[in-house]
Amino acid sequence: MKRLKVKELLALEPGCDVLAKGWVRTKRGNKNVSFIALNDGSTINNIQIVCDAVKFDEELMKQIGTGACIAVKGRLVASMGSGQAVEIQADEIEVYGTADATYPLQKKGHSMEFLREIAHLRPRTNTFGAVLRIRHAMAFAIHDFFNSKGFCYLHTPLITASDAEGAGAMFQVTTLDLDNVPKTEDGKVDFSSDFFGRQTSLTVSGQLEGELGAMALGDIYTFGPTFRAENSNTPRHLAEFWMIEPEMAFYDIKDNMDLAEEFIKHCVRYALDNCADDIKFLNDMFDKELIARLQGVLKDSFVRLTYTEGIKILEDAVANKGVKFEYPVGWGIDLQSEHERYLVEQHFRKPVILTDYPKEIKAFYMKMNDDGKTVRAMDVLFPKIGEIIGGSQREESLEKLEKVIADRKMDTRNLWWYLDTRRFGTAPHSGFGLGFERLLMFVTGMTNIRDVIPFPRTPKNAEF
Ligand code: ATP
Ligand code: MN
């Protein structure tokens, strides 16, 4: 008999013989009958297994505790109990694996902190099952979105010799013997004997290589792991996270904003349409406004305003509305999450795309505005999250780019290939980076980024 997944079983009409396999969530009952709630990860919902005591010996039933893995053959029947349409009247049970009383997920309602300590088992909880299925669905929605628009999925390298944009501190990659590091005559590490013959690191962004792709394929996107060794122990930062970075030839900043808005809305709509059970569970368990917030994002156009206008609103809030921020506000500051969230949650009450930031606080490759002070950057700011996307129109002029690089005293030795894009057939182009886990925080309502990735990497934490 072919095994059916719980999701398929729950959609069947009663009256057929079935085979189900999964893990026991709970077992209850009396001496005549036991009820097992079985889950196999295909859906948040369990299927109920009814075991008459006359059919099963006591020893076997004892082996079937919370966490055990079993296969059940039986008949799918209409359920008498409330809460489910069908259940399985069991005829045969095979125990694949028992789980004794030390199984840590005996009870419901463990704290998120505790579950992080057992990240190897937490996917078996309702919450993480829901989050991880939504994570999968969002990855699919992202590929679906770009594929339908004719974008090419470009695989950019994870090991790099260039510090892409100073986007963050980098993890070094080396095969040198750290107990016996070769030195040059002037006492520096001799990377010429390292694996790549030079100093290398894990990438903080695929953008620079993404731009090379866009100058050949037109529209590309990357979707891969990204590493930042910043010691920022916040609920919104991981040392290893996933980023989606589209890069488009012939897009200006307006086209870039339009794409970003359409892209996020596509993902949110996909989640509402395809992950209804999981989102409803998270809504009911953690965040009663989750579904309303997701629907709200689809309804409204994102607000678009300049950094300068945004600062005025923040200054006005401080001066005239009694709003207090931890960090001071003034033109030139790098906005903190509290500032971003004030604009989104208090002032506009919808997502905001902030543009035209001071050049000093943005990366070297962003296109300069005519005012000579601001660059064509765009950050998409979201309720509960703050920055979810960072992007810009890129500077396409070789001359201007070289001047910025010189002004910033950047090391150009590792950037010659990047500058070649401006040297040979340069074109106006734009792109952005979406933090996959930030999107997932928004879609799932999880408030800590550690809870939207299976195995989080944060300072002092690389277990599992
Ligand atoms: P932040 O100011 O929030 O630290 P950033 O400006 O350094 O972010 P960018 O370099 O613009 O980030 O990266 C693009 C996107 O990647 C961000 O908008 C965010 O969604 C995501 N992101 C950046 N750093 C992290 C991180 N450490 N963990 C998870 N996501 C991140
Ligand atoms: Mn940013």
Side-chain angles (χ1 to χ4, degrees):
M1 194 186 296
K2 183 173 176 284
R3 169 224 167 190
L4 292 181
K5 294 196 174 184
V6 170
K7 188 176 179 179
E8 299 167 310
L9 292 168
L10 291 174
L12 278 185
E13 290 298 319
C16 49
D17 290 326
V18 295
L19 170 61
K21 300 182 179 185
W23 291 269
V24 175
R25 282 293 168 82
T26 57
K27 188 180 73 173
R28 62 187 174 81
N30 52 42
K31 62 181 190 313
N32 300 321
V33 60
S34 299
F35 300 97
I36 297 167
L38 195 71
N39 189 283
D40 65 359
S42 60
T43 159
I44 190 134
N45 301 306
N46 303 324
I47 189 144
Q48 174 155 285
I49 316 291
V50 183
C51 314
D52 284 329
V54 288
K55 283 195 209 157
F56 299 99
D57 79 48
E58 216 173 304
E59 276 314 300
L60 179 86
M61 289 315 288
K62 265 194 207 148
Q63 290 179 29
I64 304 173
T66 296
C69 184
I70 61 173
V72 181
K73 270 189 195 161
R75 196 156 181 81
L76 194 73
V77 298
S79 176
M80 305 297 219
S82 60
Q84 66 268 326
V86 291
E87 62 191 19
I88 298 176
Q89 198 76 50
D91 293 322
E92 279 173 51
I93 296 182
E94 181 183 348
V95 177
Y96 286 135
T98 57
D100 66 17
T102 61
Y103 179 62
L105 294 171
Q106 298 290 346
K107 293 195 305 274
K108 288 185 177 172
H110 292 295
S111 73
M112 301 305 272
E113 288 76 15
F114 172 71
L115 291 174
R116 269 172 231 147
E117 289 168 19
I118 52 163
H120 60 309
L121 295 173
R122 68 179 185 172
R124 296 197 200 180
T125 62
N126 281 331
T127 300
F128 283 91
V131 166
L132 295 177
R133 278 186 298 272
I134 294 171
R135 187 178 168 107
H136 159 76
M138 288 296 88
F140 185 81
I142 286 163
H143 286 300
D144 180 43
F145 177 81
F146 287 119
N147 182 57
S148 74
K149 289 195 165 301
F151 281 56
C152 185
Y153 178 26
L154 187 75
H155 296 102
T156 51
L158 300 190
I159 299 175
T160 174
S162 68
D163 173 359
E165 41 176 294
M170 304 179 90
F171 291 101
Q172 288 199 40
V173 174
T174 182
T175 53
L176 292 177
D177 176 1
L178 295 183
D179 289 325
N180 187 15
V181 176
K183 294 281 176 66
T184 58
E185 272 171 22
D186 52 359
K188 299 241 171 69
V189 177
D190 181 11
F191 286 106
S192 67
S193 56
D194 202 349
F195 188 90
F196 296 105
R198 62 200 303 171
Q199 189 174 7
T200 52
S201 311
L202 294 177
T203 188
V204 293
S205 160
Q207 180 197 319
L208 300 190
E209 290 91 350
E211 288 187 50
L212 308 181
M215 291 299 107
L217 296 157
D219 298 330
I220 65 93
Y221 69 107
T222 72
F223 186 173
T226 310
F227 308 87
R228 297 193 184 175
E230 44 201 353
N231 203 349
S232 42
N233 234 322
T234 79
R236 304 178 308 121
H237 290 90
L238 291 165
E240 177 181 291
F241 64 100
W242 288 63
M243 188 146 62
I244 299 98
E245 296 182 275
E247 193 70 38
M248 297 75 63
F250 317 121
Y251 271 49
D252 65 14
I253 181 113
K254 161 98 174 28
D255 303 323
N256 206 21
M257 288 193 276
D258 290 344
L259 184 77
E261 181 167 345
E262 189 188 345
F263 172 46
I264 298 195
K265 284 181 169 169
H266 171 85
C267 294
V268 171
R269 192 175 303 113
Y270 189 92
L272 284 169
D273 290 348
N274 294 277
C275 309
D277 286 352
D278 290 324
I279 289 182
K280 183 171 183 314
F281 171 82
L282 296 171
N283 185 88
D284 295 348
M285 273 294 282
F286 293 102
D287 182 350
K288 300 277 185 290
E289 281 154 27
L290 176 62
I291 292 174
R293 209 160 47 241
L294 296 179
Q295 287 165 342
V297 160
L298 294 184
K299 197 168 81 254
D300 294 326
S301 290
F302 297 2
V303 175
R304 299 179 183 195
L305 90 161
T306 65
Y307 169 92
T308 304
E309 290 166 326
I311 291 288
K312 279 197 196 122
I313 291 170
L314 294 170
E315 283 175 336
D316 178 60
V318 173
N320 303 317
K321 296 189 175 147
V323 175
K324 288 202 171 63
F325 294 118
E326 191 182 335
Y327 293 89
V329 178
W331 200 92
I333 63 155
D334 204 354
L335 293 183
Q336 300 292 325
S337 174
E338 55 173 349
H339 305 134
E340 297 171 343
R341 291 183 59 177
Y342 176 82
L343 291 173
V344 173
E345 291 167 23
Q346 312 290 325
H347 191 83
F348 290 109
R349 294 177 186 278
K350 47 182 136 167
V352 173
I353 311 184
L354 213 55
T355 60
D356 304 290
Y357 283 71
K359 62 174 194 278
E360 288 77 13
I361 58 172
K362 289 293 181 188
F364 75 97
Y365 50 70
M366 296 190 183
K367 187 173 174 66
M368 184 79 77
N369 280 316
D370 292 339
D371 63 11
K373 289 194 301 197
T374 59
V375 288
R376 237 165 260 184
M378 52 161 244
D379 280 8
V380 180
L381 313 179
F382 252 52
K384 299 270 182 189
I385 312 292
E387 180 184 332
I388 192 164
I389 282 182
S392 67
Q393 183 168 345
R394 320 302 190 192
E395 182 57 72
E396 77 262 29
S397 148
L398 176 66
E399 201 189 329
K400 289 186 189 164
L401 201 55
E402 280 181 328
K403 182 169 180 308
V404 174
I405 289 172
D407 288 350
R408 297 192 180 206
K409 301 194 172 57
M410 289 171 61
D411 189 350
T412 51
R413 265 176 310 174
N414 295 330
L415 277 180
W416 64 271
W417 48 269
Y418 179 72
L419 291 172
D420 266 5
T421 54
R422 275 56 169 181
R423 209 167 268 127
F424 306 122
T426 192
H429 64 290
S430 299
F432 60 81
L434 168 79
F436 188 44
E437 286 77 16
R438 299 254 176 110
L439 173 71
L440 287 170
M441 288 174 76
F442 181 72
V443 171
T444 62
M446 291 289 112
T447 53
N448 193 313
I449 198 164
R450 292 164 179 78
D451 300 329
V452 294
I453 188 165
F455 305 106
R457 295 288 176 262
T458 51
K460 300 279 183 287
N461 173 30
E463 190 109 14
F464 313 111

